[in-house]
Amino acid sequence: MSGAHDFDFLHGDWDVRHRRRTGFLDPGSDWEEFWSTCRCRPLFDGAANIDEIDMPHLGAKGLTLRLFDRESGQWSLNWSSSLSGRLFPPVIGGFGAADGSAGPDGASRGSRGSGEDPGGSRAGHDRGEFYGEDTHDGQDVRARFVWSGVCDSSARWEQAFSLDGGQTWLTNWVMDFTRPGAAREPASRTPSG
């Protein structure tokens, strides 16, 4: 089950390595790579946060507003781009059970303990799945955001789209977050999808 402090790991400054498909719906499209910076700050005593990501390669900035719904126990992730100036439809979900499982609607399965340990890992909190409906290039898509490998010094975010209601997924954007000054590990060349 998700909690109001699931995204505390994201607070602060990050260097971000991007791998992005040049055609979000084209499995044969090339991947482009670039770096950006991100700063995230908490709101509502941790039950919300906002980040801004500066992507000079794209000539754009983006922001995400994350809100924890205490009644449903789920997060909504709301994205906006400086290129459009509009808020995209949210993706909804949370962090799963200790095995990282979550249902296709993003709802967590099972239960978990606090997951925190003094070493800074987040056992049971290191994977979250979030789902929503959107459009891309005039086509209806189901969107999935996955946060994985979450710890104090690194995390991975992946975006995938589905044209068949979630039966198959095409990963089209991967961001590897590292703290400034932390040793950077190469990103995987084969994102899941």
Side-chain angles (χ1 to χ4, degrees):
M1 178 160 250
S2 276
H5 292 282
D6 284 340
F7 280 100
D8 285 3
F9 75 90
L10 197 55
H11 302 161
D13 294 333
W14 296 91
D15 292 328
V16 186
R17 180 179 180 217
H18 298 254
R19 292 194 68 243
R20 189 176 93 135
R21 285 190 187 275
T22 54
F24 277 11
L25 299 176
D26 178 3
S29 65
D30 291 332
W31 289 89
E32 62 178 341
E33 296 188 19
F34 56 94
W35 286 92
S36 70
T37 57
C38 179
R39 174 171 285 169
C40 179
R41 67 183 182 92
L43 302 166
F44 300 161
D45 298 321
N49 67 50
I50 191 166
D51 71 43
E52 182 179 40
I53 190 162
D54 185 4
M55 301 172 285
H57 174 78
L58 300 179
K61 293 184 178 187
L63 72 80
T64 304
L65 172 64
R66 296 173 191 85
L67 300 165
F68 182 70
D69 182 326
R70 293 182 189 279
E71 187 173 312
S72 71
Q74 294 188 312
W75 286 87
S76 64
L77 283 53
N78 305 270
W79 167 256
S80 183
S81 167
S82 64
L83 296 176
S84 70
R86 70 179 178 94
L87 199 59
F88 288 80
V91 292
I92 309 290
F95 286 80
D99 64 358
S101 63
D105 61 354
S108 299
R109 284 186 260 146
S111 62
R112 63 179 187 188
S114 72
E116 305 300 331
D117 74 11
S121 71
R122 297 168 39 92
H125 289 97
D126 69 347
R127 182 177 173 86
E129 294 185 14
F130 307 85
Y131 296 84
E133 305 301 324
D134 205 343
T135 58
H136 182 76
D137 288 343
Q139 294 189 63
D140 291 337
V141 296
R142 183 136 174 85
R144 178 182 71 192
F145 292 1
V146 174
W147 280 96
S148 63
V150 170
C151 69
D152 291 340
S153 60
S154 64
R156 172 174 279 199
W157 172 90
E158 295 183 28
Q159 173 181 273
F161 287 167
S162 175
L163 293 170
D164 57 13
Q167 296 298 309
T168 60
W169 294 94
L170 177 63
T171 299
N172 53 40
W173 200 332
V174 178
M175 291 191 270
D176 287 300
F177 288 71
T178 55
R179 293 291 182 189
R184 293 182 177 167
E185 294 182 26
S188 169
R189 303 299 292 180
T190 57
S192 64

